[in-house]
Amino acid sequence: MKTWLRANRNFLLLMAGFLFFRTAIADWNPVPSGSMRPTILEGDVVFVERVAYDWKVPLTEFSLRRVDDPGRGDVVTFSSPRDGTRLIKRVVAIPGDVVELRGDRLILNGEPARYAPVEEVAEPVAPGVALRGVREVEEWGGQRRVVQFLPEVSARRDFGPLRVPADAYFMMGDNRDNSEDSRFIGLVQRRQIIGQAHRVLVSADITGHWAPRWDRFAAPLR
């Protein structure tokens, strides 16, 4: 065993460094669901900065040092408070905010978001099944993003009002009517946030024979 360790020392050090990088510094996560459409598509692999908010002990939720606070509009990965599954959603409300939904429209701290139509699409929801998807620009507090609604599905379009307590965050998917987010799984504690997703690294159409989506390679997340 000692001889094997000496002979493979450089390889083992390389692997140890690689694992440390992925568990402590940065990571890349494949996205299997459409809860963040149209911002993130199934088959995207996103780059996640693990040290955006905290320096943590690898493979734990223990923070050694706070770096920054998650902000409204950030796209983050986190461990679901329901079952620990890794999810990716957008931070909609931060500690102290009062968040509310009325008819799928966001109201934050008593101020309704503004909406402007973009397009209608055929949104795939199952193999061979597509429903009408309505995409609109949502604007609040100087931030703009494209979100999607599915008028033909049953969804939780009314929520709150709820005041977000300290060290907790309210997350939502951009695909508002097809996202299991804080409306269902509850608030996400800061310690459960893994990192901030900045851009798509690579992308493939998982329903189209894994054809590369070249236009999404290195695309920033907005």
Side-chain angles (χ1 to χ4, degrees):
M1 177 61 72
K2 291 182 179 179
T3 302
W4 185 87
L5 290 173
R6 282 196 298 269
N8 294 277
R9 180 179 59 184
N10 290 339
F11 173 75
L12 293 173
L13 289 174
L14 177 65
M15 291 302 299
F18 175 75
L19 290 174
F20 176 79
F21 181 83
R22 285 206 64 180
T23 57
I25 308 298
D27 199 358
W28 45 93
N29 298 125
V31 177
S33 75
S35 69
M36 280 293 291
R37 277 178 166 267
T39 306
I40 301 174
L41 307 180
E42 305 95 319
D44 285 351
V45 178
V46 298
F47 173 77
V48 177
E49 183 185 0
R50 283 179 171 263
V51 294
Y53 308 121
D54 292 89
W55 284 91
K56 292 183 178 180
V57 175
L59 303 177
T60 77
E61 295 180 347
F62 183 74
S63 175
L64 297 171
R65 177 175 174 268
R66 287 196 175 196
V67 176
D68 200 358
D69 292 318
R72 299 186 197 94
D74 288 359
V75 178
V76 301
T77 58
F78 59 92
S79 299
S80 169
R82 173 178 291 175
D83 56 15
T85 302
R86 182 178 297 188
L87 302 175
I88 183 166
K89 308 289 181 187
R90 191 181 295 275
V91 178
V92 169
I94 63 175
D97 284 344
V98 177
V99 61
E100 182 177 359
L101 286 176
R102 286 293 172 262
D104 251 339
R105 273 25 188 176
L106 175 66
I107 304 170
L108 199 56
N109 299 325
E111 180 182 343
R114 295 187 295 275
Y115 294 86
V118 175
E119 61 178 345
E120 291 196 7
V121 298
E123 176 68 8
V125 294
V129 179
L131 297 176
R132 183 169 66 98
V134 177
R135 294 179 179 176
E136 300 184 6
V137 173
E138 178 181 80
E139 184 173 359
W140 190 95
Q143 293 186 346
R144 293 163 54 90
R145 58 214 172 216
V146 177
V147 296
Q148 180 170 276
F149 306 101
L150 302 176
E152 298 170 7
V153 306
S154 175
R156 190 168 188 180
R157 297 184 168 90
D158 297 295
F159 180 89
L162 171 71
R163 182 177 294 277
V164 182
D167 275 342
Y169 295 83
F170 190 89
M171 311 291 189
M172 292 186 70
D174 288 352
N175 197 359
R176 292 292 169 78
D177 297 331
N178 188 23
S179 174
E180 187 172 286
D181 47 39
S182 287
R183 291 170 289 178
F184 305 96
I185 63 175
L187 296 168
V188 176
Q189 301 301 308
R190 181 193 171 100
R191 60 180 172 77
Q192 295 170 319
I193 296 177
I194 297 168
Q196 183 179 5
H198 288 285
R199 64 178 59 245
V200 177
L201 291 178
V202 296
S203 181
D205 185 352
I206 61 177
T207 64
H209 306 289
W210 294 92
R213 299 189 186 106
W214 298 110
D215 61 316
R216 296 189 63 78
F217 279 44
L221 299 179
R222 297 183 174 90

